[in-house]
Each structure stands twice: as C-alpha cells, then as structure tokens.
Amino acid sequence: MGKIRWYLHRLKAMTYKEVLWRIQLLFLEYVDRFIRQNKSILDSKLYKRNGDCVQPWKINREFVDAQCGVTHQIFQTLSTKNQSSHATFYNNQEWPLVASRKLQYKGNKELGDARINWEYNRHHYFPILVKNYWITKDKDYINTLSTAFYAWVEANPFLMGISYTSEMELAIRAFSWYITLELLPKERKYHKLRRDLSQGIMNLLNHVSMYHSRYSSANNHLIVEMVVLGIVGVSFNQEDWVERSVERISEALDLQNHADGVNKEQSIHYQFFIMEAVALFILRLEAQGMNYPKQWEDQLYRMCEYSARLMDRHGKVQHLGDHDEGKLLDLYGSDFNYEDYVLQLCSYIIHKKYNVSTQPYDQLKCLLSKRQLQQNFDHFHRKNSVTYSQGGHSILKGLVEEKEVTITFDHAELGFNTIAAHGHADALHITLMIDGEKIFIDPGTYCYHSDITWRNYFRKTKNHNTVTINQENQSEMKGAFLWGRRANTLLHESKLDIDRDIVVAQHDGYAPLIHQRSLRYEKPRQITIEDTIYPMPESTIDAYAYEATYVLGKQCEVIQKEKNQIIIQAENTQLRLFTGNHTIEVEPIYFSEKYGVLEKTLCIKLRGKEEQNKAHIVTVIEICE
C-alpha cells in the first residue's frame, strides 16, 4: 500500500510531458531487453555509434611532488580489497545479477544502501592506478588496472545488476574510464586495453544519451551526465553530443541556480559537485580551443563567491542538505579537502583565488600546464557578512581575537523542482563554526536507499538547529527523495555592519502557526537567537508544544550545566549558552559526518508548551575569553 501511495505522489509531481517521456522510456527499455541486455559492454555492435579518442586532452603525467593514491578504499572508511563489484558492503552479501530495471534497490533493508556500491563502481581508483604508475614506473599498477577492468566487464553484463541502475552512475564511470584512457601510456602493448576502454566509454554514453535525466529528475544528475557526454564528445569527435551538452547545461544552470549563486537544491555538497563538473567541462573546451557560453563563467563566478564565503581560513565548510561525498575526479583515493579542490579548480577559470590551500591538488597538476599553475590571482576576501536573499542563506562573519567566526542561517526554500529531492525540513536552521571547530552542526545524511526510517531521521526538523512544533516536520515527506506540502520562508530583515549583524526570517510550515527567528550577532563575542511562535489571525489552535534544538559538534563537551546555563568546551574554544525562560536539557543524538557512518553526539533542547498566546524563546551564546 505504501508503494502505491508513493507512486501516486510521484505521479502528481510530473507534468503530462514527463509522463509521456517515461512511457517512451518503457518502450526503449523493452527494446533493450532483446537487443542489448546481458551482452558485453565491450560489444561494438551494441549501438550504431562508435568512436575513438581522436582529440586527446593531452593531460599531464608528471605528478611532481605527488604521492601514490589509495586504491582499496571508499568513503575513507570501507576497504574494497577482495570485494566483488556486486558487494553490498553490508552483512557480506551481494546485489543479485538480474535485469537492472527490475532490481529493487530502494528501501532494501536486507542488502543495504545502493549508494555504497555505486561509489565502488564509479571506478575512481582506475585513474589512480595509472597515476601511481607514472610516479613509480611500476608496471604492476597497469597490470592491476587491466585485470580489474576485464574482471568488471566479465562480471557486469550490460544492463544487468546494480551497476546499471542509474544513468549518472554510468556517466561517472565513463568519466573515470576516460581519464584512465588519457593517462595510459601510448605503448603498443596497451593498445587492446585502450581500445576496449574506448569502446566501453562509447557504449556507456550511448546509453546515457538516450536515458539521461529530464523533467522532475533533472537536478544535479542532468548536469553531471551532460558534462561527461560533452567532455567525451570533444575527445571522441562526437559533435552532436557536445552541442546537446552545451545546450542542456546552459538551460539547467539557469533553472537550478538562483541569480545570487546559491544552488536551488539547497545542498552545499551538490553545489560544489555541480561547480566541479562545469569547471572540468570548461577546461576541456579551453584545452581544445573551443568556446563555451559566457553565462557559464558568470554562473560559476556567483557560485564561487557564495561557496567561498561558507569556507573559513582553515578550509572548513558546514554542510546543509544532503551530502553523499560524490565527486567526478579523485586522484587520491583517501581523504582530501574536496571543497577546497573545487574552489581551486574554479579559480583557474575565474582568475581569482577562492581556495585556501597554497599547493595545487593532484587533479590540477594533471589538467593544467606548469605555466597555468604558476599564475597568481587576487585573493577572495571572505571576512564580511552577506545575506543571499534569493538563495535564502545568510553567512555572518566575525573575529574573536584571531579566531574566525562563521554563522550560517538558512531561510531558503525546501529544495529544487517539484520533488525537492535533496532538501531537508530545516527552515531557519543555524550552524556555528569558530576557527575551524564546528560548534552547532547539521546532523548529516547517513544513507539514501537502505532504510527510510534512517533516511527520514536525518531530514526531520527536530534533528536540526531550529524549532519543532508538536513533534511535526515543517514540510511533508512523501518518499526518500520526494516531498509534499512545503514550508514557505520569508526574509523580513537583514542589517549587516561592522559591529552588529541582524537577520530576521519566518516560515509557515506549521500554519496556522508562524515561526519567526531573529539572529543577532553582536561582534565579536555574543550571538542572540530569538524564536517567536504566534498564531495567524484565522487560527483555532488552543495549545501547542515546541522545542528548539542545537546539535553540538562531536568535539564539544558540556563541562558545566545549570538550569538555564551551560558551558560548552570545544578543543580550543569555550562558550556559555544561557536562556532566561527555558530549562536547558542535554541529550544524545545521532549525526553522520561521513556518508554511511553513524555516530553519536550531544544536542541541546529547549522545550515548552503554550496556550493561545505567543511562545518566546531566547538563546544567548557568548564566546568566552
């Protein structure tokens, strides 16, 4: 019954054109069952269109001062050594080798989260193996690559199993294979491997070109799919792929981003993911001497200006919305500062230094010439507070002695498009970071597909740094990536100056009750949060219960607690939090800093009940000397 309800809600989110398109897909899938399914991805007869890499990117293979990358690890937490490409990484099980379109991977508690397997089968470690060869000149790395590639081909017939369940996954895998192909030595003995990689790339992208994301599903997936189609199109001389990619990306960037540079998906991670993808395509077009629309650079500039302000001088960023650690190009295989790398990548397009690192990342060493890497740019200054009224985010900045204070205030819409797939019910959510230490945090994401209970846990209002009324969510969850009724936000005021920042916003997610939040930062040490709940004129509500939540970073301890006051100790920072009218409760709560990893931390809860009248919560945070 639940599945039927989901289908009905999903259908409501579609236009009639999308319904017709999805009917067309069903016909295409039916044809694929007979002419392509269960054949080899290396079969040159899968599609009429074939090709070779006739216009190589000519990327660098020197990797000066680089270290060998890690090849047996995903998400920095899971070992992939001796694992099958069908591994679930859960209870030692494997995804079944059945037709991909029939594989029930969503909400499969028995087999776990498909996103874990997808990360492995994105094959980021393929180009890392070739990078390691160029660093060490050890041919075993290429032998390992060849063995892994042909083993994967044998174990994954076309359109069978978990590896073919998402078009974006095919695109990212094709990109990994493409970078591998570009990095491989041109020696004759590797001719077959190069030829087969080329054929596999063409077959993957022939499929993507037919099935790419559209309509209500056309979020970051569409941009990533089109970027890979375009990059490979340039190198393989597929002009229509390039033209289509440029056209679709231009449309998508306008649709998916506010004019002030904030991505409409309301996910910080996916903002960086899109920036990486578009920047890589621009570099590829530039390397070939081809033009790209000026609007891309304009969009990238605005996105960088916003994204760089989220980052502090230590390169730390607080995340909002979904965060699954996805990326297009990884030459490390271990933990690296993805956000700083993306800003560095974009810096070479905008000619302005947005990132904080002083050394180029290995990806940049690979894609840019020595001359390009030696360029010097003006530094971006991230010290001033800014409100992005269209995107719905305020970023407040200050300095306590030499410590940088970064506060984010989310007064944005729920998410992009009719399904708002990656949004969380977190209107008026606040985060606080002091000199790289995360004090008030977003709880994270944890999982996508394995367990709807956990998926919902990390999207619920009560697990974010905002106010919950009657234990309800501000917006209505209809599925793991589907929302119904949504909270509407309204920015009332934003006054930002040297000594004091004030931002006031509200939402109607609990109509006929309104939640209004005022954030005041008296620089440099005092932050005051005032929450007011009041009934709309037509309200008939007699009583309601409410709670304000503040999730603490894992390094934070509560070292002293009184009724209306607590002392919070981070590694290098101490804060005093007090309320005049609410008892402070400290409770355990789950958070997920790394995708698929569940941890516990502490949260602060301020609870109360009100009858008819306004409710008023005042929270004061002082940064101690």
Side-chain angles (χ1 to χ4, degrees), residues 238-250:
Q238 304 293 321
E239 293 182 7
D240 60 324
W241 281 4
V242 180
E243 291 174 5
R244 190 194 326 173
S245 298
V246 170
E247 180 183 350
R248 296 286 167 83
I249 291 168
S250 298

Side-chain angles (χ1 to χ4, degrees), residues 74-112:
I74 54 174
F75 296 127
Q76 299 83 54
T77 57
L78 292 172
S79 171
T80 62
K81 201 162 188 177
N82 301 320
Q83 289 280 9
S84 141
S85 57
H86 304 290
T88 63
F89 299 93
Y90 184 73
N91 291 342
N92 295 317
Q93 298 189 80
E94 291 193 354
W95 291 99
L97 190 62
V98 299
S100 300
R101 297 296 179 186
K102 293 184 177 180
L103 182 56
Q104 299 298 315
Y105 66 89
K106 296 179 180 178
N108 194 322
K109 293 183 181 181
E110 181 182 349
L111 296 179

Side-chain angles (χ1 to χ4, degrees), residues 525-538:
R525 295 186 181 276
Q526 184 168 294
I527 303 159
T528 303
I529 302 163
E530 295 187 45
D531 292 296
T532 304
I533 303 167
Y534 62 89
M536 299 167 73
E538 67 273 19

Side-chain angles (χ1 to χ4, degrees), residues 9 63 107 128 149 366 396 442 447 496 534 573 576-577 583:
H9 291 310
F63 294 106
I128 293 174
F149 172 68
C366 176
L396 310 186
D442 188 273
C447 69
L496 312 175
Y534 62 89
T573 306
R576 185 167 74 99
L577 183 149
T583 299

Side-chain angles (χ1 to χ4, degrees), residues 550-565:
Y550 297 98
V551 182
L552 298 179
K554 65 179 179 180
Q555 85 281 9
C556 293
E557 297 180 70
V558 175
I559 62 173
Q560 181 183 327
K561 180 182 180 302
E562 300 174 16
K563 181 179 178 180
N564 302 109
Q565 175 179 291

